Amino acid sequence: MSDGNDSPDTLVEGPGPNELRDPEVRRELKKATVWLGLAALIALAVLLVQPLLIIFGGLVVAALLDGGVRLIHRVVKMPRGLAIALLVFATIGFLGFVGYSTGVQVSDQFAQLRATLMVQWGRLSAFAAEHGMMPEAGNVNDLAQQALGSVGRVTGFIGSAFGAVGTFVMIIVIGVFVAIEPKIYERGLQWMVPQASRREFAVTIERMAKTMRILLAGRLLGMVFEGLFTWVVLLIGGVPMALLLGIIAGVLAFIPNIGAIATGILMVAVGFSAGTDTGLWALGTYVFVQLFDGWVVLPLVARRTVDLPPALTLSSQILASSLFGILGLALADPMTAMIKVALERESERAQDEAA
């Protein structure tokens, strides 16, 4: 208490919590700012997950175009924009030619494939019910609803906003713009990083880009091989819908593990619909293609890029498809490869600092 004077008897020593002159207060404020910023970034990523996936898909397309430009420059030197235009028009022309040449045949085979799968599913259900292995109809419906409901929010976004075609066009446009002048975007990313970390960031980005190019080159090689080989061998063996099965095998080869399983189911189901011998031929074709792809194509790619263990790849695909839908499933492999490159580079940097 005061003795009547205007001056207080005692004063609390040290700055208050609202005074930023105290080093301890400033340090704690910085910590709180970092945590709040991290929480805000996580919330923003959750809200913008669909556009972020589309942007990442554009980066995948940009890596494909950049690899194509580098391949062209090994043969003939030309401006980068002209090389990208050549690649884009060549791809559109090839797809248009294939669609014009096989459009009617593929359309008929799609209808035939659906009918064949329905018949084979009926036979499998009857066999399972006869041996007591078929669940009740209600359980089957519940499983189907759960499978359809697990495609995630991205599928709904694609279907409600622009549709699959619109999303694909956006991915292509982003990829073309990034591929034309990638250094502009790389410098922009470096500008957002502290100066002391920019050199390390540039090295990591360069490794990611190289890994993406080689990984996608391997995927394209596997897609071409699986599609053409499956079509030719199934055609020789008299398997129905050989062309359609070859196209499906080539497209699904972009998604390892899950794509291979789906291709195998379709090939075996269609093969056995034409007889036991044809089914065995289709089964043998599938086994040979997968063995060649797993023992020859993938090791050649993994030798020059990150080696993704099958269990890690499958786990990332299951997680990405559950969270982000079909688009997440298609991009799960590149995303996992990029994360692994970043972690490996960070481990190398830590070892260098320790040494």
Side-chain angles (χ1 to χ4, degrees):
M1 296 293 294
S2 173
D3 58 1
N5 297 328
D6 292 336
S7 300
D9 296 332
T10 59
L11 291 176
V12 177
E13 298 293 335
N18 61 337
E19 297 185 60
L20 299 182
R21 292 176 296 173
D22 184 13
E24 185 67 24
V25 174
R26 290 199 299 268
R27 186 161 47 249
E28 293 300 324
L29 182 60
K30 288 181 179 179
K31 292 181 181 179
T33 303
V34 169
W35 284 110
L36 289 175
L38 181 61
L41 286 177
I42 294 175
L44 190 63
V46 172
L47 293 175
L48 301 178
V49 62
Q50 298 93 349
L52 289 176
L53 279 177
I54 293 176
I55 292 172
F56 184 77
L59 296 179
V60 172
V61 173
L64 280 172
L65 293 175
D66 185 57
V69 170
R70 292 170 183 264
L71 188 61
I72 291 176
H73 284 174
R74 290 184 178 182
V75 180
V76 57
K77 296 295 183 180
M78 64 174 63
R80 186 177 184 86
L82 180 59
I84 291 176
L86 180 63
L87 287 172
V88 172
F89 284 115
T91 302
I92 294 175
F94 174 76
L95 294 178
F97 172 76
V98 172
Y100 177 79
S101 303
T102 63
V104 176
Q105 183 180 358
V106 171
S107 178
D108 294 339
Q109 290 187 5
F110 260 117
Q112 185 181 355
L113 176 63
R114 181 178 180 181
T116 301
L117 292 178
M118 293 297 294
V119 172
Q120 293 296 85
W121 172 251
R123 293 177 180 176
L124 181 61
S125 301
F127 176 82
E130 182 181 352
H131 292 80
M133 296 182 295
M134 188 69 182
E136 297 180 359
N139 295 333
V140 175
N141 292 332
D142 292 340
L143 291 175
Q145 292 177 359
Q146 292 178 5
L148 292 176
S150 65
V151 296
R153 288 177 294 175
V154 170
T155 305
F157 169 77
I158 293 174
S160 60
F162 296 100
V165 175
T167 302
F168 181 75
V169 170
M170 286 190 291
I171 290 175
I172 295 298
V173 170
I174 292 174
V176 170
F177 281 139
V178 173
I180 290 176
E181 293 187 89
K183 294 299 181 182
I184 293 179
Y185 304 97
E186 183 178 346
R187 289 196 298 267
L189 290 175
Q190 291 182 16
W191 177 77
M192 300 173 63
V193 176
Q195 293 186 10
S197 303
R198 287 179 183 176
R199 181 175 297 277
E200 181 65 28
F201 179 78
V203 173
T204 304
I205 290 295
E206 179 61 30
R207 288 194 179 185
M208 284 184 174
K210 182 178 179 181
T211 298
M212 182 79 79
R213 290 193 301 268
I214 299 175
L215 181 67
L216 295 176
R219 288 285 179 267
L220 288 179
L221 180 62
M223 291 172 66
V224 172
F225 167 76
E226 291 193 23
L228 290 177
F229 189 85
T230 299
W231 170 46
V232 172
V233 176
L234 291 182
L235 187 65
I236 294 174
V239 179
M241 295 166 279
L243 177 59
L244 178 59
L245 291 175
I247 294 175
I248 293 176
V251 172
L252 293 182
F254 186 80
I255 308 174
N257 300 325
I258 294 179
I261 294 173
T263 301
I265 293 174
L266 292 176
M267 289 175 58
V268 172
V270 172
F272 279 100
S273 68
T276 304
D277 294 339
T278 307
L280 293 175
W281 181 274
L283 179 61
T285 302
Y286 168 75
V287 171
F288 177 80
V289 169
Q290 295 305 316
L291 288 178
F292 185 87
D293 188 57
W295 289 357
V296 178
V297 178
L298 290 182
L300 288 175
V301 176
R303 192 176 303 167
R304 300 187 59 186
T305 184
V306 291
D307 189 7
L308 298 177
L312 176 62
T313 304
L314 184 59
S315 300
S316 65
Q317 289 172 350
I318 294 173
L319 181 62
S321 62
S322 299
L323 293 175
F324 311 130
I326 298 176
L327 189 57
L329 175 62
L331 299 177
D333 202 24
M335 284 190 291
T336 305
M338 297 302 97
I339 293 173
K340 187 175 181 183
V341 169
L343 294 177
E344 287 178 345
R345 180 57 187 170
E346 181 64 22
S347 177
E348 291 179 5
R349 187 186 65 82
Q351 290 177 1
D352 293 340
E353 291 181 354

